[in-house]
Amino acid sequence: MSYLFKRKLRTVELHGETFEVQNLSFGERDEITRLTQIIDPLSGTMNFDFKRYANLLNLKAIKSWSLKDEAGEPLPIDENTINNLLDPDFVDELFKAIDVIEPQDELQKKD
């Protein structure tokens, strides 16, 4: 049944590290949309943080990774790791690899 959501996993390799990437459900995408909407309390206008939206989509798509800290402990897959611990160029490259290799809409179309 093509109308039912099917979780798909793919592996992305980058600089010797492995990333398990998954497609996202409608609900997961909707949750990220809600997190990135900003409503001005004074004017009532709504803005949308496109950069954070893209970052959160890519982050949510990462199911697992092989990244470790300097002590050899696994790094958590979260915004703090992406924003504060990883090299910004590496993050950009990773998110591009996830988008290019596994576009979410294409992942959902595959059986």
Side-chain angles (χ1 to χ4, degrees):
M1 296 179 195
S2 63
Y3 54 85
L4 295 176
F5 175 74
K6 293 178 182 109
R7 182 74 70 191
K8 305 280 186 175
L9 293 176
R10 299 289 182 261
T11 301
V12 174
E13 301 276 338
L14 183 66
H15 297 286
E17 301 295 341
T18 304
F19 303 85
E20 284 270 87
V21 179
Q22 63 187 353
N23 58 329
L24 302 178
S25 69
F26 179 85
E28 291 166 326
R29 289 171 171 249
D30 189 55
E31 175 186 348
I32 292 168
T33 300
R34 282 184 272 120
L35 288 172
T36 53
Q37 291 175 339
I38 305 161
I39 299 175
D40 184 316
L42 298 176
S43 68
T45 59
M46 185 175 70
N47 291 308
F48 190 74
D49 187 341
F50 290 104
K51 177 71 172 163
R52 185 164 186 241
Y53 176 78
N55 288 348
L56 288 177
L57 276 181
N58 284 313
L59 182 61
K60 184 76 171 179
I62 300 170
K63 182 173 174 58
S64 67
W65 62 23
S66 61
L67 301 179
K68 296 181 173 37
D69 65 16
E70 291 176 349
E73 295 297 317
L75 287 172
I77 303 169
D78 61 21
E79 272 190 279
N80 181 60
T81 301
I82 294 294
N83 291 336
N84 301 310
L85 301 178
L86 299 181
D87 180 271
D89 293 333
F90 180 81
V91 173
D92 287 341
E93 196 172 346
L94 172 61
F95 285 176
K96 285 177 187 171
I98 291 171
D99 282 340
V100 171
I101 294 172
E102 299 301 334
Q104 298 302 310
D105 293 337
E106 288 302 314
L107 247 164
Q108 290 180 338
K109 291 178 189 173
K110 295 178 186 175
D111 288 334

